[in-house]
Amino acid sequence: GIMEQKMTGNDLRAREAQEAAEAGLEYGIAWASKNYIMGDVLTCTTANEPDCPVHSPVSGFSTSETYSYTLIFTKVTVTICSDPIYTTELACVGIGETWESTLLVRVQSTSQGNADKNISAKAETFIKQDSFDLFDSGATMPPPWVVAGCIESPTGHPDIYVLDSSSVSIISGSSDSLSTCLPEGNLTITEWDDTDENGIKDNTESGAVVSPFENSIGNFNCGGAINCSWDHAFDMPLAEAKQLATTAGHVYDASTLIPCGASSSPSIYLINDDNPQNSADITGNCSAANLAGVDDATIGVPGEPILLIVPASANCPKFNGGITIYGIIYYESTTACASNGWGGATVYGSVIWEGDVERPNSNPDFIEVDYGSGDTLNNSFHTTINDAARLPGTWKDF
């Protein structure tokens, strides 16, 4: 009788532990359907960890044992066949003989008894997060300068650095002749090679000057459309991007400071400030993280860019010297930037204007960075999650 009681007790605890693991898994899936998972691996063990779901310990009804959980979210890229007749290990066979790579998230839940640590269980599944995408499926980063109109002759010494001598560094939506619409002035376009692949241009990574200048410019068709530069670069409507930033509390004006470093999802900021943006307008102690290229005057970090939207109501504030920006700056006004020069910031990414631009000067640096394409590009900007679908057949409870 004692042995049977022990066996029954062990069976009850095993079932409770498995049920606790399944409960943690369902909770993790529900959380991932509305929250972007930061980083390649996110491990959650307690309720007070940042960027993690809050899940209380599970109490067993039959044994009064309580079970704590560990949730691990791991991003994985898998390759699947598209409509095959059958699949081998190395190839798709039959109709639709193509491979498709997609980014999935493996959700693993482990429960463990608090009184008896030997009692534990695991459950896992794969999910596909559906996000509000900034870019369409085949998009890549826009070039360092995107201008709906034309540029007045640069009178300072702005520098553009491109990853390849054949890269387009400036594009215009104007139908005017590019030779007159995009004058070279004192602008210098130089090739750079990110040899250490850290997303930061070191002094030793600069190459040859791109020549002739005309090989580095191009155009797109605006045709008088509203927000034409935005629509050329992004798939998401401008109004929706503004709303996502507003809902997330990412709105900054003259009375608030911009946080340094990376952003919570979505990585979209609204800059409602007419005044020039200096290092004093950025808050946070990002230097303490000891990340290469990141200090207290840095917006974004390498590999995790931020989109700064300057609405038309805020005119065209400069981003001045001492500030480093990883990401994209977008100016909605079609007129304000034509009478307001550029500051001396360093931009790893792109600046997009909706009108004409007058003489970017004061020695700013505009540096082309490859943030990937399609899903990879969207993921780098941490766009807000719309939903998450559980993939049938990917469950495991052992």
Side-chain angles (χ1 to χ4, degrees), residues 113-143:
N114 291 321
D116 187 348
K117 302 295 184 182
N118 293 318
I119 303 174
S120 66
K122 293 183 179 181
E124 73 171 46
T125 192
F126 284 79
I127 62 174
K128 170 69 174 176
Q129 286 189 304
D130 175 30
S131 62
F132 293 98
D133 291 339
L134 272 172
F135 307 90
D136 65 29
S137 59
T140 58
M141 271 292 290

Side-chain angles (χ1 to χ4, degrees), residues 215-362:
N215 290 346
S216 190
I217 60 177
N219 64 349
F220 59 99
N221 184 19
C222 261
I226 300 174
N227 302 329
C228 120
S229 285
W230 174 275
D231 292 340
H232 173 76
F234 302 102
D235 188 49
M236 177 184 291
L238 176 59
E240 184 175 329
K242 288 181 178 180
Q243 185 59 53
L244 288 175
T246 302
T247 302
H250 296 170
V251 181
Y252 306 97
D253 54 29
S255 63
T256 55
L257 300 178
I258 305 170
C260 67
S263 165
S264 58
S265 175
S267 293
I268 305 175
Y269 291 169
L270 271 180
I271 311 298
N272 277 317
D273 192 352
D274 292 345
N275 302 309
Q277 303 299 296
N278 303 295
S279 57
D281 297 299
I282 301 176
T283 184
N285 185 23
C286 294
S287 299
N290 293 320
L291 293 175
V294 180
D295 57 24
D296 297 345
T298 302
I299 303 174
V301 300
E304 295 185 61
I306 292 178
L307 168 60
L308 306 178
I309 298 176
V310 182
S313 58
N315 294 318
C316 187
K318 302 177 184 179
F319 288 84
N320 284 329
I323 291 181
T324 299
I325 298 168
Y326 294 92
I328 299 174
I329 305 171
Y330 169 75
Y331 289 104
E332 183 182 9
S333 174
T334 59
T335 57
C337 290
S339 59
N340 188 4
W342 182 264
T346 298
V347 180
Y348 284 89
S350 179
V351 183
I352 302 175
W353 293 275
E354 283 296 356
D356 294 329
V357 180
E358 182 176 335
R359 51 188 181 86
N361 53 20
S362 303

Side-chain angles (χ1 to χ4, degrees), residues 21-75:
E22 294 286 348
L25 182 66
E26 295 299 326
Y27 194 91
I29 294 170
W31 181 83
S33 69
K34 296 299 178 184
N35 294 272
Y36 183 85
I37 296 169
M38 305 290 284
D40 292 329
V41 179
L42 177 63
T43 301
C44 301
T45 56
T46 61
N48 44 355
E49 290 187 20
D51 303 318
C52 278
V54 178
H55 188 349
S56 301
V58 177
S59 296
F61 180 78
S62 301
T63 65
S64 299
E65 176 69 84
T66 60
Y67 301 88
S68 294
Y69 74 96
T70 298
L71 282 173
I72 302 177
F73 302 90
T74 307
K75 293 180 181 178

